[in-house]
Each structure stands twice: as C-alpha cells, then as structure tokens.
Amino acid sequence: MTNILKLGIPKGSLEGATIDLFDQAGWKISTRSRNYFPSINDDEITCSLVRSQEMGPYVAGGTLDCGLTGIDWVMESEADVEVIRPLVYSKSSDQGARWVLVVTQDSPIKTVEDLQGKVIATELTGFTSRYLRARNIEADVQFSWGATEAKVVEGLADAAVEITETGSTIRAHGLRIVCDLLHTHTVFIANKEALKNPAKKAKIDQIALMLKAALDARGKVLLKLDVPKKHLDGVLDILPSIHAPTVAHLSDPEWVAVETVLDRGAVRDLVPQLKGAGAEGILELEIRKVC
C-alpha cells in the first residue's frame, strides 16, 4: 500500500481560493494550462483537479484519498466519506452560500408546499428530490446544466433551486426567493480506508491542522507596542488577546514591549485608545497562521 496521499483540489470557482489557502498553509500548488495534475512542494502528496460535484464520489471510491468540496455536493452524491473539517474561505460571508427556492415575482408559489405537482429546475437534483419527499411533496425535479434562473423566467420551469451568496443575481433576473433549502460551506473530506493507513492519516491531520491555522489567521493581526511601566496596567485593561498579552522588558527599565494577537476589525478603534493610555510605537503586522 503506497503512502503517497492523493489530494483533490476543486476545479472551478473554488480553485484559486483553495490554492491560495494551501499557499498560506505552507504548500505551493502550481497549475499548468490544460493539465489536471498540479505539482505540489511535498513529496508525500500528489494533486488532481476535480470538479466539486465529483469530489465526493472520487474520494468515497478511493480514486482520491482526500479533497475539498462543498458540503452540498457531499450531500447531493450521498458519498460515504469522512468530513474532517469545515473550512470557510470563499469571498462570501462566514455563513457561506445557500441553495434557495426561486420563482418569478408573480408566481403563486409562496411556500415549499406550493411545489406540489410543479416542475423544478436545479443542478442539485438528488438533494432537492429527497428534501421534497421528506415533506410528502410530489414534484418533477429536472436537472439543469446551467442558466437555471432563465428557465423560470422563460416559463420552462415553475421554480428553481439555485445557489447564491447575496441574492443579487437572482433579483437582477426579476426573480423572488421563497426560502432557503440548504446552507453550504467548504469541507475537507477523506476516504475512510485511507484514514486506516497511519501515514496517510498523519498527512491528512497535518493538512487539516495547517489549513485551519491559515484560516484562523485571516481575521487576526499582531499588534506590537511600547508602554511606560507606569501606564502598563491601564493598557492591559483595554488590550484584548487570545490568552494574555506578552510583556517583555526593554533596555530602558522604565518601558516594556507588549505584543498581542487580536481581531483585525478591532484595531481601528483600539489604537486611539492605546495612544490615549500612554502606548507608543504601535505596529500592526500580518500573521500567516494561528495554531
């Protein structure tokens, strides 16, 4: 049994963000035009570019040992995989994207129950069909290769189940969102047999740890400042940290250096408070990982 880990990288909308995340985590993935097998700076890993929709079945079947895809596509395929860790790293909000039920503005459909006997266009046919069956709703769920909203606008379908982040595209087509059916996010998944291989499991655990560390760092910054000892207590009272700020002595016995990791969004309001409390030489630094 080979110990080389076969890693799936999602091709398409998540591809660039995934490669950027791996770069921040310490792995350089290099793609080449018309090549589905990117190189990676780790002799224990090989990479394949795979459509998100196909990632679950490839991992479940053992073609890949692990990969990243949306939880929606794992649910759609009902792939028997192990979800190692959720990873939110797209440009959308922390809530991720959502699959919504969409109709025309003048449609009589107001609730999911109104779909009885209707035609629904979607790429997420398996999940949608099971969702409706669980509610005893009989409808004609048809697979859509794309331009799903247009099928509703043109009257080819009574409704659509489509993915969105903000809903702006749906509204631009003059459509109305009835309700959310599924909130989705990216997940790191693994083949259950691969997890029984100690070497592969160790590498999968390493990837999961480092990806999380990179993501956790994205909303954080390192703040460094010099503080007169006489003002230290006042500064520490207003300075947030993960556990407790680091305080180190300087060559001047009347001053100390303080470091802390905090939320990026807090810096704007915090710096004036720190200056008012006596801090000087305040530096805001980017960080790559938080473990």
Side-chain angles (χ1 to χ4, degrees), residues 28-32 35 37-42 45-47:
K28 179 67 174 179
I29 297 174
S30 301
T31 58
R32 297 182 297 278
N35 189 308
F37 304 99
S39 62
I40 185 170
N41 61 339
D42 190 325
I45 302 175
T46 60
C47 292

Side-chain angles (χ1 to χ4, degrees), residues 194-211:
L195 290 172
K196 297 177 183 178
N197 179 323
K200 288 187 176 183
K201 183 179 185 305
K203 180 59 69 172
I204 289 169
D205 289 344
Q206 179 193 10
I207 293 172
L209 173 66
M210 299 310 293
L211 292 183

Side-chain angles (χ1 to χ4, degrees), residues 21-235:
L21 178 62
F22 270 86
D23 181 71
Q24 185 180 344
W27 286 277
K28 179 67 174 179
I29 297 174
S30 301
T31 58
R32 297 182 297 278
S33 177
R34 299 182 181 181
N35 189 308
Y36 288 87
F37 304 99
S39 62
I40 185 170
N41 61 339
D42 190 325
D43 292 338
E44 297 177 343
I45 302 175
T46 60
C47 292
S48 300
L49 284 176
V50 177
R51 294 177 73 241
S52 294
Q53 295 90 328
E54 299 174 317
M55 190 71 73
Y58 276 132
V59 172
T63 301
L64 297 171
D65 295 315
C66 58
L68 291 87
T69 186
I71 190 64
D72 47 353
W73 296 117
V74 176
M75 297 172 69
E76 169 70 6
S77 65
E78 298 185 285
D80 185 22
V81 296
E82 190 76 23
V83 176
I84 303 299
R85 186 178 296 281
L87 301 166
V88 180
Y89 61 92
S90 72
K91 63 182 179 181
S92 60
S93 69
D94 287 347
Q95 296 301 313
R98 55 200 176 109
W99 288 88
V100 295
L101 177 62
V102 175
V103 298
T104 57
Q105 289 289 348
D106 59 355
S107 171
I109 298 172
K110 306 296 182 184
T111 68
V112 171
E113 287 68 26
D114 296 331
L115 293 176
Q116 188 72 32
K118 304 297 185 182
V119 175
I120 305 165
T122 184
E123 191 177 354
L124 205 69
T125 55
F127 171 84
T128 302
S129 297
R130 293 191 297 272
Y131 183 95
L132 296 177
R133 282 199 302 269
R135 290 157 179 78
N136 297 315
I137 300 170
E138 295 184 6
D140 182 8
V141 180
Q142 298 181 355
F143 181 78
S144 173
W145 287 100
T148 306
E149 300 100 329
K151 293 179 172 64
V152 180
V153 173
E154 296 168 3
L156 301 176
D158 299 297
V161 173
E162 182 66 310
I163 193 167
T164 185
E165 292 181 351
T166 65
S168 59
T169 302
I170 290 170
R171 290 190 293 271
H173 283 88
L175 301 175
R176 169 170 55 88
I177 295 176
V178 176
C179 63
D180 294 3
L181 269 62
L182 173 66
H183 285 249
T184 187
H185 54 270
T186 306
V187 288
F188 181 40
I189 60 175
N191 175 275
K192 293 183 176 180
E193 287 300 314
L195 290 172
K196 297 177 183 178
N197 179 323
K200 288 187 176 183
K201 183 179 185 305
K203 180 59 69 172
I204 289 169
D205 289 344
Q206 179 193 10
I207 293 172
L209 173 66
M210 299 310 293
L211 292 183
K212 181 179 184 300
L215 284 172
D216 287 348
R218 289 189 172 183
K220 306 288 185 182
V221 294
L222 175 66
L223 212 62
K224 299 168 68 76
L225 50 147
D226 293 338
V227 183
K229 283 187 176 179
K230 62 183 179 180
H231 296 314
L232 180 59
D233 289 343
V235 167

